[in-house]
Amino acid sequence: MSLPLFGRTRWWVGALVALVGIFVLGATAVRFAPPGSTVAVWWPAAGLAVSFLLATARGWRAWLFVLGVVVFSGAANVYGGRPPLIGLCFGISNASEAAVVFWLLTRGGRRPRLASMEDLWRLLAATLAGALVFGLLAGLTVRYGLGGPFLATVTAVTASHIAAVLVIAPLGIAAGIRRTRRPGVEDLVQWAVLVCLTTWVFNTDQVLPLAFLPIPVLVWGALRLGLRTVSVQLLVVGALAVALTSLGGGPFTAAAQGGGIRPETVGALTQAFLVTCAVTALSLSVAATQRRAALADLRSEVELSGVVLDTAASAIVVVDSSGVIARLNATAARLLGGPEDEFVGRLAADVFPVDDREHVATHVAGIADGAVPLHEEQDWRVEGLGVRHIVWTNAYLTDDDGKRTHLVRTGVDVTDERAARTFVEAVLEAATATVIVGTDLEGVITLFNRGAENVLGWRASEVVSRRDWSLLHDSGEIARRARELGVQPGFDVLVHRVRAGASTETRDWTYVRKDGTRRTVSLTMSGIRDEGGHLTGYLGVAEDVTRRRQAEVALQVALDRERQAVDELTQIDRTKSEFASSVSHELRTPLASVLGYTEMLEDGAAGPLTDRQLELVARVDRNGRRLLSLIEDLLLNSRIEAGRLELHPRRCDLSDVVASAWTTVETVTAQRDLVREVDVSPRPLWIEGDPAALERMVTNLLSNAVKFTPDGGRVSLAVHPEEDDPRAVRLVVSDSGMGIPEADHEKVFARFFRTSAANERAIQGSGLGLSIVRAIVEGHGGTVSVDSAPEEGTTFVVRLPVSGSDGPALARAGRTYRDSADDS
């Protein structure tokens, strides 16, 4: 255990020094005992032993030191001329005294102190008990060891030890007290007066009975200098008085010499003087210490009260029984519009900014009678803030006789709070279609707005503070959700995620109205938290979504039906495509045979034909080839729909592809009165593509241009590198035909689409040509666009990426055709 004055190692040194001091003081006291006396006038060794124990010793060290007192005190008595056995008995007596005083002052783990009069009485009682123990033991030793008187010995040594302990023991207690003031001139003057006056009073030449003179000086020190200084001064006064009295000086020795007083009586008078000094000085010192502590506490409380008042958010005004303001805080001063000093000492009726000042005057006049109500409200007109509504709480202050002397008014400005509350209440009441319900942590309803009344059919007075919110829900739904969460059915089901830390939780619930009907609501639960972030309740905001959910279910059913219809149509379209593909394959073989025989007839394989026969065979060939083209379109379209458009790209010259396509269409244009224009780049146009598919694409565009252009019109074909992008080739097919409405520009690329104008003019076609064109172009990574207007012709523009490397440099003359052909 730590020691308050010495460390563990230093304690042993201090204990040895104290024991040596006990030996020296004991031997000195024995040597300087008055002639004819069996005991010493003063035994300072007892005070030193107690002082050291109180200052340093704890636990087993204390009892080890007591054992040392037996040894060193006994040795001092032997050294002073007493027999060894007698010395040992006196040593045991001294140690017993020290042990008794120490035990009485520290029992129960108490630390010895002199902070109150109770502590002083405890010291006096312990000192008296220890001295009586020593007196009894010393009296028995003197009676049976030295043959001296028992009662006289007990009386003498008890007084001497009381004086020694009271004079020296306070030093041990004061050792643990921190110095609170620095020594000054007053200290030096008081010390000088005390030492000089005590020396003069107990001087050998002094015979006047002036022993009381040092006491006023000790009182001076006790009241002004503190316990530490007083304890030291008691030791100094005691040492001087005893030493000079033993040398034959002082009023007590003079009285003995003049009046025949025994030496034991001189010692008793000296001890009485020392006890008187100790009790007087210690009592006043303790009282002064208590007073200083009380004043410091009072000053601290006053300062604290002032800080609390000035920092309080509430306005605090103290009014005396005559209606005069005695004190007010900073908040009240701000409301009054001036500094505090401006209003203290003035009548409250003259200061309070209210409309009815006479009412305030009558009000405060009833302070002495207790007529002022404990709670009231006032409207103050505050400059710059307008009318502020103040709620006051009043409390009376009384004197020792119970008479009311002051009224403490504590006011809270609730203007903003009530305005906010009114606004919130208005918002809650205005939400007539939204359920807003608040609860405490246990689910007891604390808020039930107008919307909740409308949706649930309950009145707020029927459910607030009375009904668990979970009872408003469908019990089966609550039970199912509880099983999902693994909790007991009840309010926890609604707030489980919020309690787990989620800010909100939104889900659909079924409310049960008062009449038993059910409503589906979308409920959002959130936590209500205080400034510290702790949950204080829950807020649920719900919207009746019964019709919305019903509409969603109906919409979902309709979507499912539509999806089923789409699947069926898709299956029908797939069956149709498969049928068209199958039929096309079946027709392709016999048609090829028909065309083959037609060619044989034209070539005279069956003999020469007349002109009329040749014309008929030509018509058969022409219509057969048109039918074959239609079959090819149907087969290609089926492959496109199935995602099986097979392209075999290779490096090819687009100019050759265009020339081949033009030759194919030329047989048709030759029989029409059309202007034909071809403009192909003189340089090779190398691209990565499928020549057959590209030729089909160009053929379809040219066939469309010829088909929708009346006789006398123009059909042109141009192929050149893209001017703005050297990585692309531009192919343009244009005509001066019937044109396409702008609304149909994107539709012309759809399968089987035919414009209304084409249908009206009965122009033959399947509506597949342009859809095939787009598929082939996009399959080559290109784009196709149309620009047209009714009766203004049509232009199709195809852009295709060029090949990654240049082809062979072949010089080629540009080809441009412009001629006119009549039907033959």
Side-chain angles (χ1 to χ4, degrees):
M1 181 179 293
S2 61
L3 302 175
L5 185 60
F6 299 99
R8 294 179 182 273
T9 303
R10 294 176 60 191
W11 182 87
W12 295 98
V13 177
L16 181 60
V17 172
L19 291 173
V20 171
I22 289 172
F23 173 80
V24 173
L25 292 175
T28 303
V30 172
R31 282 295 180 93
F32 287 95
S37 175
T38 57
V39 295
V41 174
W42 196 41
W43 191 258
L48 178 59
V50 173
S51 179
F52 184 82
L53 283 172
L54 295 178
T56 66
R58 296 291 184 273
W60 60 270
R61 288 185 175 87
W63 305 114
L64 182 62
F65 183 79
V66 169
L67 183 60
V69 172
V70 174
V71 175
F72 280 82
S73 181
N77 278 275
V78 173
Y79 179 80
R82 288 171 176 163
L85 181 60
I86 300 300
L88 177 61
C89 291
F90 276 113
I92 293 174
S93 302
N94 283 309
S96 299
E97 176 190 20
V100 168
V101 176
F102 175 73
W103 178 75
L104 290 175
L105 290 178
T106 61
R107 63 177 178 172
R110 184 189 300 113
R111 294 185 62 85
R113 61 177 188 169
L114 281 175
S116 64
M117 296 305 295
E118 182 181 354
D119 295 332
L120 179 59
W121 284 112
R122 188 178 295 111
L123 173 63
L124 294 176
T127 301
L128 179 60
L132 287 175
V133 169
F134 177 81
L136 292 174
L137 294 177
L140 293 174
T141 300
V142 170
R143 177 68 182 84
Y144 295 103
L146 299 177
F150 172 78
L151 186 59
T153 301
V154 171
T155 303
V157 300
T158 298
S160 69
H161 279 250
I162 289 176
V165 173
L166 284 180
V167 169
I168 302 176
L171 279 175
I173 298 175
I177 300 175
R178 295 183 58 185
R179 184 186 298 275
T180 57
R181 55 183 297 275
R182 301 187 61 174
V185 176
E186 181 182 5
D187 298 67
L188 296 176
V189 172
Q190 193 268 349
W191 268 102
V193 172
L194 180 65
V195 172
C196 293
L197 189 60
T198 303
T199 303
W200 177 72
V201 168
F202 288 94
N203 188 27
T204 54
D205 297 332
Q206 175 57 252
V207 295
L208 298 175
L210 301 176
F212 64 89
L213 286 181
I215 295 178
V217 184
L218 284 173
V219 170
W220 175 11
L223 295 176
R224 297 284 298 169
L225 307 183
L227 182 62
R228 289 170 62 98
T229 302
V230 169
S231 300
V232 176
Q233 290 182 352
L234 282 176
L235 176 61
V236 172
V237 170
L240 289 174
V242 171
L244 294 175
T245 298
S246 299
L247 294 175
F252 305 128
T253 303
Q257 293 174 352
I261 299 176
R262 296 181 58 188
E264 287 80 358
T265 305
V266 173
L269 291 174
T270 305
Q271 310 313 321
F273 168 75
L274 295 179
V275 170
T276 301
C277 291
V279 171
T280 302
L282 292 176
S283 299
L284 292 175
S285 178
V286 169
T289 301
Q290 283 186 300
R291 180 176 176 275
R292 283 192 292 270
L295 289 175
D297 291 342
L298 180 60
R299 189 179 302 108
S300 176
E301 289 182 4
V302 171
E303 293 177 355
L304 179 62
S305 299
V307 172
V308 171
L309 287 176
D310 290 337
T311 57
S314 303
I316 301 176
V317 181
V318 181
V319 182
D320 62 19
S321 57
S322 60
V324 175
I325 297 177
R327 177 74 188 274
L328 74 161
N329 69 340
T331 302
R334 283 196 300 271
L335 289 175
L336 293 174
E340 301 176 31
D341 296 340
E342 180 181 337
F343 306 107
V344 173
R346 296 174 58 185
L347 290 173
D350 296 337
V351 171
F352 287 4
V354 296
D355 294 334
D356 192 355
R357 297 183 181 273
E358 293 183 1
H359 175 73
V360 175
T362 305
H363 215 49
V364 297
I367 293 178
D369 300 329
V372 180
L374 298 181
H375 301 280
E376 59 180 324
E377 298 184 12
Q378 287 180 338
D379 286 333
W380 279 22
R381 297 189 178 277
V382 180
E383 184 177 355
L385 297 177
V387 178
R388 311 301 294 180
H389 195 76
I390 314 295
V391 176
W392 294 99
T393 300
N394 300 320
Y396 291 100
L397 298 180
T398 59
D399 56 17
D400 295 339
D401 298 329
K403 182 180 179 181
R404 299 178 183 85
T405 59
H406 293 80
L407 180 69
V408 180
R409 296 169 56 85
T410 303
V412 179
D413 185 353
V414 297
T415 308
D416 296 335
E417 178 184 349
R418 289 195 175 178
R421 182 187 302 173
T422 302
F423 175 76
V424 171
E425 290 175 353
V427 170
L428 292 176
E429 291 302 312
T432 57
T434 302
V435 178
I436 302 177
V437 181
T439 73
D440 60 13
L441 294 177
E442 302 302 323
V444 177
I445 296 175
T446 58
L447 171 66
F448 202 80
N449 79 325
R450 181 70 59 83
E453 292 181 343
N454 295 338
V455 173
L456 293 171
W458 296 93
R459 298 184 64 83
S461 58
E462 295 176 307
V463 294
V464 171
S465 302
R466 298 181 185 178
R467 194 177 180 94
D468 186 335
W469 192 10
S470 62
L471 298 180
L472 301 175
H473 287 251
D474 180 86
S475 58
E477 193 175 50
I478 291 288
R480 288 192 298 272
R481 182 60 176 165
R483 286 194 296 271
E484 294 175 5
L485 298 175
V487 299
Q488 292 295 322
F491 181 68
D492 188 52
V493 174
L494 302 176
V495 297
H496 183 77
R497 290 191 60 188
V498 177
R499 282 181 176 173
S503 58
T504 61
E505 179 185 9
T506 302
R507 62 182 296 117
D508 283 359
W509 291 95
T510 301
Y511 274 169
V512 180
R513 288 172 50 84
K514 185 177 181 180
D515 58 10
T517 58
R518 284 168 164 73
R519 307 297 294 176
T520 301
V521 297
S522 176
L523 173 62
T524 298
M525 292 297 301
S526 58
I528 302 174
R529 302 180 182 274
D530 58 17
E531 295 179 355
H534 303 100
L535 273 175
T536 59
Y538 302 96
L539 183 67
V541 180
E543 182 182 2
D544 187 350
V545 294
T546 305
R547 294 183 179 177
R548 187 188 307 171
R549 295 295 181 261
Q550 291 172 349
E552 291 175 356
V553 171
L555 179 61
Q556 186 63 43
V557 171
L559 289 175
D560 291 341
R561 291 178 179 174
E562 185 176 345
R563 189 178 295 109
Q564 183 179 359
V566 170
D567 292 340
E568 293 176 355
L569 290 175
T570 302
Q571 181 63 34
I572 293 173
D573 185 65
R574 186 180 299 112
T575 303
K576 181 264 299 179
S577 298
E578 292 174 355
F579 174 75
S581 178
S582 177
V583 170
S584 299
H585 277 288
E586 293 297 328
L587 292 176
R588 188 176 188 183
T589 301
L591 185 59
S593 177
V594 169
L595 292 176
Y597 283 114
T598 302
E599 290 180 1
M600 291 174 64
L601 291 174
E602 287 179 340
D603 293 339
L609 299 177
T610 64
D611 292 340
R612 181 60 179 168
Q613 289 173 336
L614 288 173
E615 180 183 353
L616 293 176
V617 171
R619 288 182 179 180
V620 171
D621 182 72
R622 189 166 56 251
N623 289 322
R625 293 189 182 281
R626 188 171 64 194
L627 183 58
L628 181 62
S629 176
L630 176 60
I631 292 172
E632 292 291 343
D633 285 346
L634 288 172
L635 288 173
L636 184 57
N637 178 73
S638 297
R639 289 196 294 271
I640 292 173
E641 286 183 348
R644 298 196 303 270
L645 176 62
E646 296 181 1
L647 298 176
H648 304 283
R650 62 182 177 85
R651 195 164 182 268
C652 62
D653 185 358
L654 186 60
S655 300
D656 293 338
V657 173
V658 169
S660 177
W662 182 262
T663 300
T664 301
V665 179
E666 210 170 13
T667 58
V668 178
T669 60
Q671 302 172 10
R672 299 283 308 280
D673 181 15
L674 297 173
V675 176
R676 296 166 293 174
E677 297 177 351
V678 179
D679 184 10
V680 181
S681 172
R683 294 185 298 107
L685 302 174
W686 298 104
I687 64 172
E688 289 290 333
D690 186 335
L694 291 173
E695 183 179 344
R696 182 61 177 271
M697 178 264 295
V698 177
T699 300
N700 282 2
L701 289 175
L702 289 173
S703 298
N704 257 27
V706 172
K707 186 188 306 180
F708 292 104
T709 302
D711 289 342
R714 175 186 53 81
V715 175
S716 63
L717 171 64
V719 184
H720 291 278
E722 182 69 74
E723 295 180 359
D724 298 334
D725 187 0
R727 296 172 300 175
V729 175
R730 178 186 178 96
L731 183 149
V732 180
V733 176
S734 61
D735 62 63
S736 60
M738 57 189 295
I740 303 171
E742 185 177 357
D744 293 339
H745 283 188
E746 190 63 28
K747 297 177 183 178
V748 296
F749 295 104
R751 292 180 299 134
F752 304 111
F753 178 79
R754 288 171 56 81
T755 63
S756 57
N759 291 327
E760 290 172 359
R761 300 184 186 185
I763 299 176
Q764 297 179 350
S766 63
L768 292 174
L770 291 179
S771 66
I772 293 173
V773 168
R774 169 175 277 185
I776 293 174
V777 171
E778 291 179 351
H780 284 80
T783 62
V784 59
S785 61
V786 61
D787 183 17
S788 179
E791 306 303 332
E792 293 183 8
T794 302
T795 300
F796 285 93
V797 178
V798 176
R799 292 178 178 84
L800 294 172
V802 301
S803 175
S805 60
D806 294 332
L810 298 177
R812 180 174 304 193
R815 295 172 295 182
T816 302
Y817 300 99
R818 182 179 180 83
D819 61 288
S820 177
D822 296 332
D823 288 341
S824 55

